[in-house]
Every structure is written in C-alpha cells, then in structure tokens.
Amino acid sequence: KGEPLRLAMHYAKLSFEDFRFSGREEFMSMKESGELKFGQVPALIVDETTTLVQTAAIARYIAKLSGPDCGLYPEDPLTAAKVDAIVDQVSDMMCCILCAKYQDRFGFEEALGGMHGEGTKKVEHAIQTSVMPRHLGLFESLLEASSTGWLADTEKPSIADFIAGCQLSDLASNPMVKGPELLPRFPKVVAH
C-alpha cells in the first residue's frame, strides 16, 4: 500500500525518505510501541509530533502539498468526489481478499477454516468468478468512458490513478484472484 504514495511523491517532485523495514521484528517493535497508529503501514512521518497513516489519507495530504497545478487532487468539489469514490472503490474491491488472507485479523479464521479450509476455497472461487470480475468491469467502464485516459476523467493523473493502478497491478500476481487468467478480459485495466 505504500507504492502509490511513493509514486505520487515522485510525480509531484516531493522529497521524502523511503524507509523500508529491515525485517518483521522491526515492524512488530514499532507496532507494539504505538509508533504506528492503528499498528499499520504505510505511515508518513511529517514531523516530530505528526505521523499520518492510511493510504488514502496520506495520498490526499501528498496531493494537497503538491498544489493544484500538479493535479493529484482536484480543486473542483465534484471532481474531487469522483476521485474519492474511485479510491473507496479500490478499498471495496480489496476487502474480500484482505478478509480471506488475514482471517485472524478480521475474525474469519474459524468460519473459513484457515488458509486451506473449505470456507477459504469457496471464498476464493467467488473472488475469481464473480467478485473480482464485477469490480474489474467497473474500472474497465470508467476507463472506456474517460476522454483523458485517467480514471476520474481528470486532465492529469490523480491519487485515484496511483492507488488503483498499483492495486490493479498487484492483482496480476495474487493467487486468490488468478490474475493471469482473469485480467486479460479487461484490456484497459491492464493498460492502465
């Protein structure tokens, strides 16, 4: 979830330190110390007293720092709402995968039977045959309707393009989705 933020900062020509954990122990230490709000990454340390979390919130902050000429977040409230809706749609699309992958975090381990349980197999089948094709079809339709090639039909790429683009790209290698089989049915999504 950090990649769209890195790409947006590069695009906006904002300088930043790209910190990567040396291992899981370092992440767990920061999580347990409370250094990471919500115990999650990505996180953006703004100054000694402020750390931002959650991809969409950080993306909006980056966009506002970069200014209106950069185009990452539209000034027009209606266009900004369209960008927000696409970002929210990406989150909706990923919910099923996150719940199936992190069953203990979401309370589904018993119901799904663990990563190799019968419930998980049924969820994966639904993801591959109905859930993900529906979501990918929505993104394909947005791109078909766009006169600019950007998801929200903005003049320049918005945070929605960076967030959706990275997430859609990641689906290609996600075994729950079977991306190599599914994604070719959505050529505009693949090209985005």
Side-chain angles (χ1 to χ4, degrees), residues 177-189:
V177 176
K178 289 192 175 175
E181 296 171 31
L182 181 60
L183 285 170
R185 294 172 32 199
F186 306 94
K188 292 203 178 294
V189 167

Side-chain angles (χ1 to χ4, degrees), residues 66-119:
S66 68
D69 291 341
C70 190
L72 285 174
Y73 197 74
E75 286 187 292
D76 173 65
L78 184 58
T79 308
K82 291 177 183 179
V83 168
D84 288 338
I86 293 165
V87 170
D88 290 345
Q89 185 61 36
V90 171
S91 293
D92 286 355
M93 175 181 70
M94 296 307 296
C95 280
C96 58
I97 294 171
L98 294 173
C99 289
K101 184 175 180 178
Y102 301 107
Q103 294 175 22
D104 56 335
R105 182 193 311 171
F106 292 102
F108 292 120
E109 193 166 32
E110 185 177 329
L112 297 179
M115 287 306 295
H116 303 289
E118 287 304 311

Side-chain angles (χ1 to χ4, degrees), residues 1 7 12 17 20-21 44 48 62 87 90 127 131 147 161:
K1 292 188 164 203
L7 291 173
E17 179 187 347
R20 309 283 177 123
F21 293 111
L44 178 66
E48 298 80 33
I62 291 166
V87 170
V90 171
I127 288 170
V131 177
S147 64
D161 294 287

Side-chain angles (χ1 to χ4, degrees), residues 6 16-22 26-27 30 41 43 45:
R6 286 186 280 275
F16 66 99
E17 179 187 347
D18 187 4
F19 175 81
R20 309 283 177 123
F21 293 111
S22 60
E26 185 177 18
F27 166 72
M30 289 177 74
V41 288
I45 299 171

Side-chain angles (χ1 to χ4, degrees), residues 19-162:
F19 175 81
R20 309 283 177 123
F21 293 111
S22 60
R24 182 148 178 84
E25 300 77 31
E26 185 177 18
F27 166 72
M28 292 306 292
S29 173
M30 289 177 74
K31 178 179 178 171
E32 291 166 6
S33 74
E35 203 172 335
L36 298 173
K37 288 184 179 21
F38 308 133
Q40 298 174 334
V41 288
L44 178 66
I45 299 171
V46 177
D47 57 36
E48 298 80 33
T49 61
T50 309
T51 299
L52 300 176
V53 294
Q54 295 293 352
T55 302
I58 297 169
R60 286 184 196 98
Y61 176 75
I62 291 166
K64 290 175 183 180
L65 276 182
S66 68
D69 291 341
C70 190
L72 285 174
Y73 197 74
E75 286 187 292
D76 173 65
L78 184 58
T79 308
K82 291 177 183 179
V83 168
D84 288 338
I86 293 165
V87 170
D88 290 345
Q89 185 61 36
V90 171
S91 293
D92 286 355
M93 175 181 70
M94 296 307 296
C95 280
C96 58
I97 294 171
L98 294 173
C99 289
K101 184 175 180 178
Y102 301 107
Q103 294 175 22
D104 56 335
R105 182 193 311 171
F106 292 102
F108 292 120
E109 193 166 32
E110 185 177 329
L112 297 179
M115 287 306 295
H116 303 289
E118 287 304 311
T120 302
K121 291 175 186 172
K122 289 178 183 178
V123 168
E124 286 179 352
H125 179 74
I127 288 170
Q128 295 160 8
T129 60
S130 64
V131 177
M132 211 45 69
R134 178 172 32 88
H135 286 289
L136 292 171
L138 295 171
F139 288 108
E140 187 79 5
S141 294
L142 286 173
L143 290 166
E144 286 172 354
S146 175
S147 64
T148 64
W150 303 115
L151 284 165
D153 203 23
T154 50
E155 186 179 316
K156 298 176 180 177
S158 72
I159 61 170
D161 294 287
F162 286 101

